[in-house]
Amino acid sequence: MSQTWIKVGALDDIPRLGARVIRGPRVNIAVFRTGNDEVFALEDRCPHKGGPLSQGIVFGRRVACPLHEWVLELKTGDAVAPDIGCTRAYPVRIDDGIIWLSLVAQRRSAADCVSAVSA
Ligand code: FES
């Protein structure tokens, strides 16, 4: 499947340790900016009970969900042990200070997540 990139906006439009939500017809995607100006994108839905990850606290390359404080890896969407689960991660890139997002998720479903965890 070819990869189509959509323009999110300027890196500087997202505050460090903050996030911006891209709303779609089926999923909302949270685009996060770390303290080191790295950018990651996850479905804006916690694998625990659906909390809005975009409202969470970013630290390092992780985000803590605002509802019950599960911690997820920004790069993969994997929950950090002892919690088990994941949310979809999406490719992002930065060109000349502009963030681009691909809607081709790196994993398709929670089932992929379970198999990835047990693999
Ligand atoms: S909904 Fe995210 S930790 Fe519970």
Side-chain angles (χ1 to χ4, degrees), residues 45-53 64-71 83:
R45 190 173 189 286
C46 179
H48 180 217
K49 292 188 176 179
L53 297 173
C65 179
L67 294 192
H68 313 97
E69 298 181 354
W70 276 32
V71 175
D83 298 315

Side-chain angles (χ1 to χ4, degrees), residues 79-101:
V80 173
D83 298 315
I84 296 174
C86 70
T87 192
R88 291 184 180 95
Y90 295 83
V92 285
R93 61 185 172 87
I94 304 173
D95 286 339
D96 291 331
I98 301 297
I99 301 169
W100 296 85
L101 167 71

Side-chain angles (χ1 to χ4, degrees), residues 86 88 107-118:
C86 70
R88 291 184 180 95
R107 279 188 291 232
R108 302 242 176 246
S109 70
D112 295 339
C113 167
V114 172
S115 60
V117 168
S118 60

